[in-house]
Amino acid sequence: MTALPWGRRYLMCPPEHFGVVYEINPWMHREVVVDRDRAYEQWNGLVAALRSAGAQIEMLDPHPDLPDLVFTANAGIVNGTQFVPARFRHPERQGETPWDVQWFTSNGFTVDELPDGVSHEGAGDALPFNGTLVSGYRFRSDAASHAYLSRLTGAPVRSVELVDERLYHLDLTFCPLDDQRAIVAPSGWDSYARRVLEALVPEAIVLGDDDALAFTANSVVVGTNVVMPSCPPEVGRQLEAWGFDVAVCDVSEFLKAGGGCRCLTLALDVTLG
Ligand code: ARG
């Protein structure tokens, strides 16, 4: 077992302008009010938990017109000093891209773009596992983006068709723990994707529907620390048996927008291929 070679440096964005002002996934309801102070407290709690797990956090400036900018996982794909910006499915989030690109160019990254008209929502739909990039498609990312991603990054990409619109991004169904183990929510995948992942992941913690819908897989792994939005007892026991330490962070304000701990972070220390 080898610990993940990435996951010690993250980009995050303070929830200064976070809110549910449009509806682009089944969790979002405009009439639900976000408690901004509570969101801030929860986000600060997540930052503190990640730091005490040994992670370094970089900050992206918030923007008054971009309420979902807090979900930095969707900014794009990081590969060494290469950054492939997302092409968001929904116009509501497309304004984030120039803002993200500005951060990456001024922080020493080279930007390589996917072609026009092909959607891909960054690390929210793509996570490295043991030398391959596992990438989801259907609700937010197009299957056609995967070949381009592979060409741009040099990484072999395994495509996973997502089938449950409540689990609309890959990172709600898949959480790599090390090079052999992952938390998985197969109810979010079609039957072929289930077989692909079964062959790829030798040891998995398999979530039932309720735990998947509580965003248990939307966790951040920092070495042997797992920072989770929720952790059912059996999952916690298995993680501890494997030598992981679990920290649960209440991110309920962000769940109102359909995002959990992982969505609020973008790993900056990823090298693919
Ligand atoms: N409201 C955001 C959206 O629907 C939430 C993004 C969640 N991000 C993630 N990586 N799953 O786009």
Side-chain angles (χ1 to χ4, degrees), residues 18-19 22 24-25 28 68 71-74 88 90 93 96 121 123-125 140 168-172 215 218 254 257-260 262-265:
F18 169 63
Y22 47 74
I24 57 169
N25 70 53
M28 300 177 89
D68 272 338
F71 298 114
T72 50
N74 299 120
F88 283 98
H90 298 289
R93 292 198 68 183
E96 294 178 29
E121 298 203 351
D125 259 337
R140 298 303 192 83
Y168 57 96
H169 276 139
L170 179 77
D171 67 359
L172 304 174
F215 284 21
N218 199 245
F254 300 96
R262 166 74 80 187
C263 307
L264 292 165
T265 64

